[in-house]
Amino acid sequence: MAIISLQHGTTLRRAQSLLRSPPDPNFVEPGGNRDTRAEGFSAVIAGQPAFSLGSAEQYARTKSTNFPSEGGPVILEVEVPEWIVDIPRNDPIAAMIVASGEVRFEPDLGLTELRQAWPTLTKRIIPV
């Protein structure tokens, strides 16, 4: 089974939470409300530029600036089976987002499968 390394730029506190629990589509950032829920999980393929998000490192630094009490910028790297990444890749609309460098998992676009596999996936926190 082929594996793809995905990188999610975030803060240390959020990465530690993701080590324990899968991405929550109902997650709301501090100061947000139910209308600003995450609704999915975004990452970039390790080693590839992301035109829509910037690099995982850039995104982590922005998150850390916006949420300075969350332990600083980090990258959560997750080893995901290629068949799960192929779900958004093979969707006509989501494929355009993937082509921009962002792998975006949403309901009916791999999020359920990613959440189910999450406990068994290899994950590591990379300091930025």
Side-chain angles (χ1 to χ4, degrees):
M1 168 174 36
I3 299 293
I4 296 179
S5 292
L6 297 180
Q7 294 184 330
H8 176 74
T10 190
T11 63
L12 179 59
R13 186 171 80 189
R14 295 178 196 200
Q16 290 170 332
S17 176
L18 285 165
L19 287 177
R20 296 185 301 273
S21 303
D24 179 4
N26 294 311
F27 175 76
V28 176
E29 291 183 328
N33 59 52
R34 66 184 180 98
D35 295 325
T36 60
R37 295 177 298 124
E39 298 181 356
F41 181 77
S42 289
V44 297
I45 296 173
Q48 292 185 8
F51 303 107
S52 59
L53 295 176
S55 69
E57 181 177 336
Q58 291 168 320
Y59 199 80
R61 290 187 189 284
T62 298
K63 283 291 178 188
S64 180
T65 298
N66 292 339
F67 302 99
S69 65
E70 293 189 7
V74 299
I75 294 169
L76 176 67
E77 188 168 82
V78 183
E79 302 292 324
V80 179
E82 188 170 24
W83 72 267
I84 295 176
V85 176
D86 282 344
I87 295 169
R89 267 188 187 157
N90 293 327
D91 179 84
I93 295 172
M96 291 185 283
I97 296 169
V98 175
S100 77
E102 175 185 357
V103 180
R104 174 92 179 146
F105 299 97
E106 293 185 346
D108 300 323
L109 287 173
L111 183 60
T112 299
E113 293 81 357
L114 180 67
R115 287 176 49 81
Q116 288 172 344
W118 197 259
T120 66
L121 302 180
T122 300
K123 299 173 276 302
R124 70 183 179 121
I125 294 175
I126 302 169
V128 171

